[in-house]
């Protein structure tokens, strides 16, 4: 008779315990960027809502930013670092192809030997990672998960590119996720549309750069394509996330979309018919677009400025290069 394998199950529910954040050391106003793109402060503000963005020192990388954000999230959570048994890092700006950011951060914050891996889902990366952490904890594969979005996008910016360079900033946001007695993370709506992969992404490969065929690869986008996709298609995804959570727009205390563009954020809110009482994250105004870091950074700032939101429902949605997307409703810590 063959042996029967043991199986495990975890808790029925999970929740976010705390947030942590790290922003680049330098505030970079629009006036510092307008020369190479032949633009103006007014043009950037009108098109994006950005007044300034944060960028890191040359000696600071995405791993450093992630470590700072992770340490704050652990400290605020009350969970000892050595009990964190899963670290997921969402990033497109690991300074090396290998090793992973997650394994280094796990060691730095005292979570070694936690399971650790990186994911690349661009601006949807954090929401992807939350979805995975929720599932892995409920399966019994982990108990406490550290989810981090971290980017140093200033390393992959062409200052003369008018399509995206003035949007981007550097930073990291982290969340500590663990078991809950009540539902704290609703089912996600996630997916991709690879047929539009050329709409936003890198303009070359590392092997092409190595072989002298292209300059250092940087981010580019087709602005109008991305704008239309984000506003019209992602509004549908957000509404589906509300349906899966079993809630109405009037139940949402906070709306935390990827900080891509202020016009997209405002149009989102209008499409979703969110009530005036819903607090809308607009971290992009002074942080810029930080890709995978933008949702946790915006969440961290929102909770600092509006502590009364604790225990309320937040709708978060990430979308970006790929074109990948993920949306879910969460209970704010």
């Amino acid at each position: 008779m063959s042996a029967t394998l043991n199986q495990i199950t975890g808790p029925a529910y999970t929740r976010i315990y705390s947030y942590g954040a790290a922003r680049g050391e330098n505030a970079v106003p629009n006036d510092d960027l307008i020369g190479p793109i032949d633009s103006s402060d007014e043009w950037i503000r009108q098109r994006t809502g950005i007044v300034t963005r944060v960028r890191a020192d040359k000696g600071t990388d995405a791993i450093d930013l992630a470590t700072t954000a992770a340490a704050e999230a652990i400290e605020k959570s009350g969970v000892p670092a050595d009990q964190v048994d899963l670290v997921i890092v969402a990033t497109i700006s690991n300074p090396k192809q290998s090793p992973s950011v997650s394994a280094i951060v796990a060691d730095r914050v005292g979570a070694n030997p936690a399971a650790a891996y990186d994911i690349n889902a661009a601006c949807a990366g954090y929401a992807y990672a939350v979805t995975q952490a929720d599932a892995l904890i409920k399966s019994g594969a982990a108990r406490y998960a550290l989810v981090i979005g971290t980017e140093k996008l200033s390393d992959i910016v062409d200052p003369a590119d008018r399509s995206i360079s003035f949007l981007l900033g550097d930073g990291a946001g982290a969340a500590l996720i663990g078991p809950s007695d009540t539902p704290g993370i609703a089912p996600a709506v996630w997916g991709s549309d690879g047929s539009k992969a050329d709409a936003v992404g890198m303009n070359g490969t590392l092997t092409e750069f190595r072989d002298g065929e292209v300059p250092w690869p940087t981010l580019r986008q087709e602005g109008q394509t991305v704008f239309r996709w984000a506003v019209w298609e992602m509004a549908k995804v957000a509404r589906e996330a509300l349906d899966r959570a079993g809630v109405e727009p009037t139940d949402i205390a906070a709306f935390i979309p990827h900080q891509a563009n202020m016009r997209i954020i405002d149009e989102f809110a209008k499409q979703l018919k969110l009530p005036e009482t819903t607090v809308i994250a607009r971290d992009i105004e002074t942080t810029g677009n930080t890709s995978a870091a933008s949702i946790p950074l915006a969440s961290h700032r929102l909770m600092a400025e509006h502590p009364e939101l604790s225990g309320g429902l937040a709708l978060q949605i990430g979308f970006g290069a790929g074109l990948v997307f993920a949306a879910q409703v969460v209970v704010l810590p």
Side-chain angles (χ1 to χ4, degrees), residues 14-21 65-67 69-74 84-91 102 105 109 115 117-119 124-137 142 144-150 172-178 185 292-293 295-297 316 328:
T14 68
R15 64 180 175 90
I16 297 172
Y17 288 23
S18 59
Y19 292 115
L65 294 166
T67 301
E72 181 186 353
I74 292 172
V84 175
D85 50 3
L86 173 63
V87 179
I88 308 174
V89 171
T91 187
S102 54
V105 172
V109 300
Y117 62 95
D118 294 357
I119 63 172
Y126 170 77
Y128 264 57
V130 169
T131 301
Q132 293 179 34
D134 170 59
L136 289 167
I137 292 170
Y144 296 109
L146 188 60
V147 169
I148 308 165
T150 185
L176 198 293
I177 298 174
I185 299 174
I295 293 176
L297 278 174
Q316 61 183 34
Q328 64 225 135

Side-chain angles (χ1 to χ4, degrees), residues 15-132:
R15 64 180 175 90
I16 297 172
Y17 288 23
S18 59
Y19 292 115
R23 287 176 168 81
E25 298 92 339
N26 308 298
V28 182
N30 294 334
D31 285 339
D32 286 5
L33 305 178
I34 58 178
I37 61 173
D38 189 24
S39 185
S40 67
D41 171 63
E42 181 183 13
W43 183 84
I44 294 175
R45 290 189 191 218
Q46 288 179 347
R47 291 180 65 86
T48 70
I50 298 174
V51 176
T52 185
R53 76 281 297 136
V54 290
R55 289 186 174 171
D57 289 340
K58 182 178 181 180
T60 301
D61 62 22
I63 303 170
D64 300 322
L65 294 166
T67 301
T68 300
E72 181 186 353
I74 292 172
E75 181 181 1
K76 285 184 173 178
S77 73
V79 176
D82 61 4
Q83 290 188 27
V84 175
D85 50 3
L86 173 63
V87 179
I88 308 174
V89 171
T91 187
I92 60 169
S93 48
N94 185 346
K96 298 179 180 180
Q97 293 292 292
S98 184
S100 69
V101 174
S102 54
I104 296 171
V105 172
D107 181 62
R108 286 186 182 182
V109 300
N112 201 348
Y117 62 95
D118 294 357
I119 63 172
N120 179 345
C123 308
Y126 170 77
Y128 264 57
V130 169
T131 301
Q132 293 179 34

